Amino acid sequence: RSFAQSLLRFLGFIFWGAAAAQVFGGVSVILMFEKYRYLFQESYLSLPGWLALATALILLPTGVLAVSISVKRSRYQQGTLMYLLMLLLCLEMSSAALARSYSARTASQLESAMGYLVHQHNWTCSQDPGNSAVDVIQRKLQCCGVHNYTDWLKVSSSLYHPACVPESCCKEKHSHCRGDLGHLEQLSEEGCLKKMEDQLCFAMLYIFWCCTVLSILGLLAGVSNGILMRHQPFHELRIL
């Protein structure tokens, strides 16, 4: 019983820290899909982020109850804590499953969406920096094309464009770069698809592992709370 009390108190403090971690992961996922919303057709892909925020809100009172029960046991608080832990387990497992599923689904959508933006982009070898969606992505991520700058060559040959790439492919340190293929060292070498996939996988895997670890900690808290409840049973509320 003393070990269960100490463990429950420790887990209560862990839950508070985990709430901050869940907020970070949830906000990251929501902002990422909001920033690249024109690349995804489904609006529900940010659902794991919202579930992570809901989990963070429930983690705060759960931590308070876990700490208070370990100090002074109350049968009503113990029952409330058990219900909150079951709710947390449902949210965490749902969020982890969705994050794992959406990570594979969105990766395939990114390639087709980026390919479409590249082929629809109309540019010329001029000093116009361009403000289309693909230009914004290339400047923000410091990338060029879907896989690399050769994607623009395929489009330019089909549209009879001169041998150049959009100026958004230029590296920031080269202020005089105009997308000329004669100066490849001035262009970003990496494609946008890999950088976006890396961001997506990091955010989704972060949510997945946070929820998985929290599910295990929630089960430990439930077992500890159950041990304490056995030593102080609900005589008048046995139906619960």
Side-chain angles (χ1 to χ4, degrees):
R1 185 172 58 180
S2 61
F3 176 75
Q5 285 180 307
S6 301
L7 180 60
L8 197 59
R9 183 185 301 112
F10 173 74
L11 290 175
F13 292 113
I14 292 295
F15 287 156
W16 291 340
Q22 286 287 80
V23 169
F24 172 77
V27 171
S28 298
V29 169
I30 294 171
L31 291 181
M32 183 186 64
F33 281 105
E34 180 66 22
K35 182 168 58 176
Y36 302 125
R37 62 184 181 276
Y38 43 81
L39 296 177
F40 302 101
Q41 298 177 353
E42 294 87 354
S43 58
Y44 57 81
L45 292 176
S46 60
L47 184 57
W50 290 108
L51 289 179
L53 292 182
T55 302
L57 290 177
I58 300 177
L59 279 171
L60 295 176
T62 303
V64 173
L65 283 175
V67 173
S68 62
I69 288 173
S70 61
V71 176
K72 183 179 179 181
R73 294 189 303 277
S74 167
R75 59 186 63 187
Y76 300 108
Q77 290 181 354
Q78 288 173 336
T80 303
L81 176 62
M82 196 63 79
Y83 284 124
L84 288 178
L85 289 174
M86 287 191 295
L87 179 58
L88 279 175
L89 182 63
C90 293
L91 286 174
E92 290 157 4
M93 296 301 292
S94 299
S95 184
L98 289 176
R100 196 68 175 176
S101 172
Y102 290 173
S103 179
R105 181 182 302 179
T106 53
S108 60
Q109 289 186 11
L110 275 177
E111 185 171 7
S112 59
M114 279 298 300
Y116 176 78
L117 289 178
V118 167
H119 283 277
Q120 292 295 318
H121 186 40
N122 185 19
W123 88 97
T124 57
C125 295
S126 64
Q127 297 184 4
D128 182 15
N131 291 310
S132 65
V134 68
D135 287 315
V136 173
I137 293 175
Q138 290 186 148
R139 277 195 293 268
K140 185 177 298 183
L141 299 181
Q142 285 295 285
C143 56
C144 187
V146 181
H147 302 284
N148 50 47
Y149 73 93
T150 58
D151 294 317
W152 291 108
L153 300 182
K154 301 173 185 177
V155 179
S156 63
S157 61
S158 63
L159 298 177
Y160 302 101
H161 282 172
C164 68
V165 296
E167 291 183 29
S168 55
C169 284
C170 297
K171 297 179 180 177
E172 289 183 347
K173 61 181 180 180
H174 298 290
S175 58
H176 300 290
C177 173
R178 295 294 177 259
D180 186 5
L181 293 178
H183 301 281
L184 292 179
E185 70 281 357
Q186 299 180 355
L187 304 178
S188 300
E189 301 173 358
E190 195 171 1
C192 297
L193 179 62
K194 185 179 184 304
K195 289 196 171 184
M196 296 181 69
E197 284 182 343
D198 290 343
Q199 287 187 355
L200 175 68
C201 289
F202 172 78
M204 289 300 187
L205 284 178
Y206 181 90
I207 292 289
F208 174 79
W209 285 112
C210 274
C211 291
T212 301
V213 173
L214 273 175
S215 298
I216 298 173
L217 296 179
L219 289 175
L220 288 176
V223 171
S224 300
N225 190 37
I227 293 174
L228 297 178
M229 291 172 71
R230 288 185 60 189
H231 291 275
Q232 191 181 12
F234 289 70
H235 294 291
E236 66 275 14
L237 299 175
R238 191 175 298 274
I239 190 174
L240 295 178

